[in-house]
């Protein structure tokens, strides 16, 4: 599904240094081999991040390249995102993303839902572990990823599991009552408007000043 535009580090840096943003944000550049462990640690500490990587996904779901990601083990995470970022009704659920090898351990369905398109029952013994993505009826609209389909998202989940022993992230679309962000400028405008803690575009970890 990753059919959209990709932006180079040089293009992203040019935007970050532009007059529109240079005094409103701060950023650091992280090398590839450290990016996933640092990003996973940020998420595990309760931060909500905008995750902007490679080519944009096509279709009605955020599938890990233009996503808002968070820790699904935090009981109040759903309410925080709905109130502070999405600004929508508090009952609306968020979806989990996990690795293919952990699907049967955490979810009842064996269907390979790569496009976050079908409901699954969260296993009974896991529902209390990942309350932020478990709906009131025990279901979740799970997305399954593999390194062959989304290397960066799969590696991030692996890094998150090393810290928390949970191979699941909360994944929702990177937007706030408008279409999913496509360009770096749209991602930056989004973090400046709302309470996202970090924005990670390619190798850049960004915070607003």
């Amino acid at each position: 599904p990753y059919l959209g535009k990709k932006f180079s580090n040089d293009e992203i840096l040019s935007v970050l240094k532009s007059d529109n943003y240079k005094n409103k944000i701060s950023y650091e550049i992280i090398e590839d081999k450290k990016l996933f462990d640092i990003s996973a640690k940020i998420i595990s500490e309760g931060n909500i991040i905008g995750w902007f990587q490679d080519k944009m996904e096509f279709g009605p779901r955020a599938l890990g390249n233009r996503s808002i990601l968070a820790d699904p083990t935090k009981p109040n995470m759903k309410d925080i995102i709905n109130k502070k970022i999405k600004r929508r009704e508090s009952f609306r659920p968020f979806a989990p993303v996990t690795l293919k090898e952990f699907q049967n351990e955490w979810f009842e369905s064996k269907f390979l839902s790569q496009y976050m398109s079908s409901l699954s029952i969260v296993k009974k013994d896991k529902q209390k572990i990942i309350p932020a993505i478990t709906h009131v009826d025990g279901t979740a609209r799970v997305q399954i990823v593999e390194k062959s389909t989304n290397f960066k998202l799969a590696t991030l989940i692996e890094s998150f599991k090393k810290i928390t022993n949970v191979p699941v992230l909360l994944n929702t679309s990177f937007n706030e009552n408008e279409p999913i962000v496509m360009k770096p400028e749209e991602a930056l405008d989004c973090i400046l408007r709302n309470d996202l803690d970090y924005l990670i575009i390619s190798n850049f970890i960004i915070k607003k000043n």
Side-chain angles (χ1 to χ4, degrees), residues 5-15 52 54 184 201-204:
K5 182 170 173 55
K6 179 179 179 179
F7 297 85
S8 69
N9 280 346
D10 287 342
E11 288 176 303
I12 296 162
L13 186 60
S14 175
V15 173
F52 184 114
D54 297 335
I201 305 182
S202 188
N203 293 81
F204 299 88

Side-chain angles (χ1 to χ4, degrees), residues 27-43:
Y27 62 89
E28 57 180 319
I29 304 172
I30 307 296
E31 57 185 293
D32 282 342
K33 64 182 181 180
K34 294 181 179 179
L35 179 67
F36 305 105
D37 286 344
I38 291 173
S39 300
K41 186 173 187 295
I42 287 171
I43 296 171

Side-chain angles (χ1 to χ4, degrees), residues 7 10 14 16 22 48 75 83 180-181 201 203:
F7 297 85
D10 287 342
S14 175
L16 295 176
K22 64 181 180 182
I48 302 165
K83 182 178 180 181
I180 299 174
V181 302
I201 305 182
N203 293 81

Side-chain angles (χ1 to χ4, degrees), residues 14-27:
S14 175
V15 173
L16 295 176
K17 289 183 172 181
S18 69
D19 290 340
N20 287 340
Y21 302 108
K22 64 181 180 182
N23 296 320
K24 298 176 182 177
I25 59 163
S26 55
Y27 62 89

